[in-house]
């Protein structure tokens, strides 16, 4: 849910062009302006949003997957006990 909410915020930011530009000398500026985020993975016009999308997907997706697996396994156990 958090990843979806972030994507909606990023869409609004990308359409409004309201985002801080990172200096090229900073680590975040250097990483976000890398070819990966400007050419290969570029759902947004701003490379910073592409970088943050990748970062948050890597951080939040494992939690979502493990939560879904736990939910599915608990439902299977509940169904087996009621049968």
């Amino acid at each position: 849910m958090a990843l979806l909410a972030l994507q909606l915020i990023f869409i609004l930011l990308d359409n409004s062009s309201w985002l801080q530009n990172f200096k090229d000398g900073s680590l975040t500026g250097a990483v976000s302006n890398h070819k990966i985020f400007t050419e290969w993975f570029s759902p947004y016009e701003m490379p910073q949003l592409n970088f943050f999308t990748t970062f948050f997907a890597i951080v939040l997706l494992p939690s979502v997957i493990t939560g879904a697996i736990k939910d599915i396994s608990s439902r299977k156990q509940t169904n087996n006990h009621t049968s």
Side-chain angles (χ1 to χ4, degrees):
M1 189 67 171
L3 188 60
L4 181 62
L6 283 170
Q7 293 308 303
L8 292 174
I9 292 170
F10 288 172
I11 289 169
L12 292 173
L13 288 174
D14 194 44
N15 289 334
S16 69
S17 299
W18 184 79
L19 189 68
Q20 177 184 2
N21 290 327
F22 295 107
K23 296 179 183 177
D24 288 333
S26 68
L27 178 63
T28 311
V31 171
S32 66
N33 288 322
H34 193 272
K35 187 177 181 178
I36 292 172
F37 303 113
T38 58
E39 294 179 17
W40 296 347
F41 179 75
S42 57
Y44 303 109
E45 291 181 24
M46 296 181 179
Q48 295 89 354
L49 295 179
N50 298 331
F51 168 70
F52 287 130
T53 298
T54 305
F55 174 77
F56 287 123
I58 290 170
V59 170
L60 297 175
L61 212 52
S63 174
V64 170
I65 292 171
T66 56
I69 291 171
K70 287 179 183 178
D71 185 47
I72 290 170
S73 66
S74 69
R75 286 184 185 183
K76 284 184 181 180
Q77 289 176 357
T78 304
N79 289 338
N80 289 338
H81 291 296
T82 59
S83 318

